[in-house]
Amino acid sequence: MSGSGAPTTGDIDGRGLDVVIIAGTWHDVITNGLIAGAERVLNDAKATHRLVRVPGSFELALAAQAAFAGGADAVVALGVIIRGGTPHFEYVSAATTDGLTRVALDAGKPVGFGVLTLDDEQQGIDRAGLEGSKEDKGAEAADAALRTALLVRELRG
């Protein structure tokens, strides 16, 4: 389990930050758990936020780019990609990761990365912040986006 050594989360003042949660529509149970975790963190931090849905993880980067063009301070990208029997998994995973990285660097604003790349559905359930889950990757992605947005704001003065 990748949670070993995870940083402490929570206790963030996100007032004044506009955050867009962008989530794919595949694997509803897992994705809805990720969304709930992200929304909880953003609500606790008192950050302004809204949720938009895209067809799949591949579309996250374009939607993130549009969110930044619309004035968002940060994006939380949430998706689920489960390995199948073809190379499709590798292509979608790489394109999604590369696309979100490019958008963040081009915008100079953070993308909290909550895209789960999994071998099977159980791994997603274990990471979705659901009752009995070992991790809450939606909450972690939102926390990372907030902390980085605040850091970027501080560094830019």
Side-chain angles (χ1 to χ4, degrees):
M1 189 65 48
S2 64
S4 178
T8 303
T9 59
D11 195 29
I12 306 168
D13 184 354
R15 286 178 281 211
L17 292 177
D18 178 31
V19 181
V20 179
I21 301 168
I22 304 171
T25 56
W26 285 78
H27 307 286
D28 276 344
V29 171
I30 298 168
T31 302
N32 289 340
L34 295 171
I35 292 167
E39 288 178 331
R40 186 183 68 256
V41 167
L42 296 171
N43 286 333
D44 289 350
K46 298 182 178 26
T48 300
H49 61 89
R50 62 190 178 282
L51 170 66
V52 296
R53 302 296 296 264
V54 294
S57 292
F58 185 82
E59 293 78 20
L60 290 168
L62 181 59
Q65 185 181 55
F68 288 138
D73 296 304
V75 164
V76 179
L78 305 173
V80 179
I81 308 168
I82 299 178
R83 186 181 304 278
T86 69
H88 182 73
F89 171 86
E90 283 80 11
Y91 299 135
V92 173
S93 297
T96 300
T97 302
D98 293 346
L100 289 170
T101 300
R102 178 179 161 199
V103 168
L105 293 172
D106 288 351
K109 296 180 179 181
V111 174
F113 190 81
V115 179
L116 303 183
T117 54
L118 312 165
D119 289 321
D120 56 53
E121 191 172 25
Q122 184 60 51
Q123 289 178 341
I125 291 168
D126 288 343
R127 290 166 176 79
L130 303 167
E131 186 174 331
S133 292
K134 297 173 180 101
E135 297 177 277
D136 189 343
K137 294 300 185 183
E140 290 177 19
D143 187 271
L146 286 174
R147 288 181 191 280
T148 306
L150 292 169
L151 176 64
V152 167
R153 180 181 282 175
E154 178 186 322
L155 290 170
R156 291 183 178 152

